[in-house]
């Protein structure tokens, strides 16, 4: 049982490049989310999903796309990287009971630098 | 809009003393809160949660208190140890259409342990 796995752990991109941050969980959790963490800003929600085939925008969705074709995977795509997207990205998943979410299990993060 | 915030960005505590980390929330309908611990270079880890039908919940060396009257919760750590050095976040799920869909985090409090 690996929990939430994020890849890569580190990435450097040039401005304008695209890439996909991978996130996979093996706990059969319905809920999955992507957060970014900048110094002094806490965790800000980018996109989230309450189940396969369902995604929605969080607080800071611009510049990012997501899809949820399976329960296990929730990739985050940067279409055209910008220096403002330099951050640490965390993926998280959670189970729910009767439509109420319980806690979150986080991945170890992807540190992205855009130059 | 609704938000979860923390009173202090940094808290310094003598090793062996008790630590109290505070959190305020604005939505009187909020009924579930979660505390996370994030050590340097790692993803947030679930510590303890509490539902609004409780005023207090205890874990191992940690206690969460919920005061619904003033919309305030606190995390108390007993006999603080060097391993408690971390950033602590409170968080709450937000709901739409009678279903939790996302978890929003406060900015965090950094706990420093003094020798």
């Amino acid at each position: 049982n690996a929990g939430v796995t994020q890849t890569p752990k580190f990435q450097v991109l040039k401005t304008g490049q695209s890439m996909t941050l991978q996130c996979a969980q093996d706990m059969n959790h319905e809920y999955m989310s992507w957060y970014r963490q900048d110094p002094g800003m806490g965790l800000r929600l980018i996109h989230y999903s309450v189940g396969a085939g369902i995604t929605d925008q969080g607080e800071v969705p611009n510049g990012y796309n997501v899809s949820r074709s399976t329960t296990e995977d929730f990739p985050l795509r940067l279409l055209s990287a910008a220096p403002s997207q330099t951050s640490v990205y965390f993926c998280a998943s959670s189970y729910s009971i009767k439509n109420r979410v319980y806690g979150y299990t986080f991945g170890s993060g992807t540190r992205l630098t855009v130059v | 809009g609704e938000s979860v915030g923390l009173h202090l960005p940094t808290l310094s505590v003598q090793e062996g003393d008790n630590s109290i980390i505070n959190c305020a929330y604005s939505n009187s309908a909020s009924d579930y809160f979660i505390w996370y611990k994030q050590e340097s270079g790692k993803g947030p880890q679930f510590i303890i949660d509490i539902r609004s039908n409780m005023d207090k919940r205890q874990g191992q060396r940690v206690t969460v208190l919920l005061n619904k009257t003033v919309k305030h919760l606190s995390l108390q750590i007993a006999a603080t140890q060097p391993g408690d050095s971390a950033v602590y976040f409170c968080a709450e799920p937000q709901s739409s259409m009678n279903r939790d869909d996302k978890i929003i985090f406060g900015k965090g409090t950094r706990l420093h342990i003094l020798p």
Side-chain angles (χ1 to χ4, degrees), chain A residues 13-92:
Chain A
L13 288 179
K14 293 182 179 179
T15 297
Q17 284 185 316
S18 63
M19 79 159 295
T20 300
L21 307 186
Q22 302 291 345
C23 176
Q25 52 91 8
D26 60 0
M27 299 171 282
N28 201 33
H29 285 172
E30 309 98 276
Y31 287 75
M32 296 187 75
S33 296
W34 276 102
Y35 294 85
R36 60 177 287 174
Q37 186 172 36
D38 304 303
M41 295 297 291
L43 290 151
R44 292 187 291 170
L45 182 65
I46 305 172
H47 285 284
Y48 64 98
S49 169
V50 299
I54 306 169
T55 64
D56 210 340
Q57 296 181 349
E59 305 165 80
V60 288
N62 292 340
Y64 308 95
N65 280 353
V66 292
S67 60
R68 185 97 181 268
S69 55
T70 66
T71 299
E72 295 78 19
D73 299 299
F74 191 43
L76 178 72
R77 297 183 188 85
L78 283 71
L79 301 179
S80 178
S84 61
Q85 294 178 304
T86 294
S87 188
V88 181
Y89 292 84
F90 289 101
C91 178

Side-chain angles (χ1 to χ4, degrees), chain B residues 100-113:
Chain B
D100 286 345
D101 53 14
K102 53 186 177 286
I103 294 183
I104 300 299
F105 286 77
K107 286 189 167 49
T109 292
R110 183 174 296 279
L111 181 62
H112 286 295
I113 312 303

Side-chain angles (χ1 to χ4, degrees), chain B residues 2-21:
Chain B
E2 289 86 9
S3 64
V4 181
L6 290 160
H7 290 307
L8 295 173
T10 305
L11 176 67
S12 296
V13 176
Q14 206 76 35
E15 182 178 348
D17 287 352
N18 296 337
S19 301
I20 300 176
I21 301 169

